[in-house]
Amino acid sequence: MRKLNLILLVLLAFSSMNIQAMDHSRASKRKRIHIDRLERWDHMTKHPDHIPLDAIIEDNCIIVQFYTEEEPITIQIKDVRGNIIFQDHIYTDNNDTYKIDLDCTKIGEYQLIYSDQYAKFGGKFEID
């Protein structure tokens, strides 16, 4: 009986460690894209120090969260040579989210670019 209790305790410990490892591997697949200002247009800027978006890579998609008033913007993904891989012109509103599917994108380095009538922001990311 004592051996059985010991075996059950060891099995329980291993299964617990395995579940924690699986949860850790799922969490590590989520990556944040660090966004910086790339350019500011010549006229007065609407958001001088405010980054108007946040972006993460999760489940082979980029999820973009916007923090702007309703306005037209352009979202692009460029490769290291500057080739446009993805481009869309959309109207955003505060707290809108936008998904970009990365399933057909090859392994490599890319840049996510946001531009509106006031400034251009971008962040580099890798697909591996």
Side-chain angles (χ1 to χ4, degrees), residues 66 73-77 86-88 90 100 112-114:
F66 297 104
I73 61 117
T74 301
I75 290 284
Q76 294 180 330
I77 295 178
F86 173 87
Q87 179 171 304
D88 199 3
I90 58 174
I100 302 170
L112 174 69
I113 299 171
Y114 163 103

Side-chain angles (χ1 to χ4, degrees), residues 18-29:
N18 192 20
I19 289 171
Q20 289 173 355
M22 286 172 41
D23 287 343
H24 179 69
S25 69
R26 283 189 198 130
S28 65
K29 293 192 185 278

